[in-house]
Amino acid sequence: MAIKKALRIKKKIDFDKIFSARKSTANKKFVVYQLPSETTHFRAAISVSKKLGNAVTRNRVKRLVRHAIMPLSDNLSQTDFVIVCRKGVETLPFDEVQKNLIHVLKVAKIYQKSEI
């Protein structure tokens, strides 16, 4: 399940706006930079440093994070955010990646579980 084009951040200008807002939240495995958005949905980007490994490893980490985000998409606020992966995330199994991601998004107040 891929992130739709409308939900992706790709342009350098958008990255610069988010990073210049200087609103970030972190845990041991992820840092989330955020900026409130005018759109009716969230937009996300995933950043993985070359320090984490070769291209295969970095792409695997991005794929894990994308798959961890998509089931949460109904509960994400209308925010633009960039997820920066820290060292150590490349060794985690999927359920740990998802657990850490949910934690950092809750702390950042981006993810709000709706109780029905």
Side-chain angles (χ1 to χ4, degrees):
M1 189 182 315
I3 297 176
K4 295 177 185 166
K5 269 193 177 182
L7 304 179
R8 290 187 224 154
I9 299 171
K10 286 287 195 183
K11 295 182 179 174
K12 183 182 180 337
I13 254 178
D14 293 334
F15 276 93
D16 291 342
K17 282 181 191 174
I18 293 168
F19 288 128
S20 67
R22 296 181 182 256
K23 185 159 179 5
S24 66
T25 308
N27 65 7
K28 289 187 185 250
K29 302 299 177 190
F30 297 103
V31 180
V32 174
Y33 293 91
Q34 64 183 10
L35 179 69
S37 175
E38 301 87 31
T39 60
T40 58
H41 50 79
F42 74 94
R43 292 191 318 154
I46 302 163
S47 173
V48 183
S49 170
K50 285 187 176 181
K51 293 178 185 177
L52 259 63
N54 61 12
V56 174
T57 304
R58 294 192 308 270
N59 287 332
R60 180 184 173 276
V61 169
K62 284 190 254 184
R63 195 168 49 249
L64 280 173
V65 174
R66 273 197 308 268
H67 283 281
I69 287 176
M70 285 319 292
L72 312 175
S73 62
D74 293 338
N75 299 320
L76 295 176
S77 63
Q78 50 189 27
T79 305
D80 291 348
F81 59 93
V82 177
I83 299 168
V84 179
C85 301
R86 286 184 164 174
K87 189 83 173 146
V89 77
E90 71 277 6
T91 60
L92 294 178
F94 176 75
D95 59 330
E96 286 293 316
V97 169
Q98 191 168 36
K99 191 172 105 179
N100 279 296
L101 191 59
I102 288 171
H103 173 261
V104 76
L105 291 174
K106 277 184 181 177
V107 172
K109 295 185 172 95
I110 295 172
Y111 175 75
Q112 288 108 11
K113 178 107 174 143
S114 60
E115 299 298 326
I116 299 174

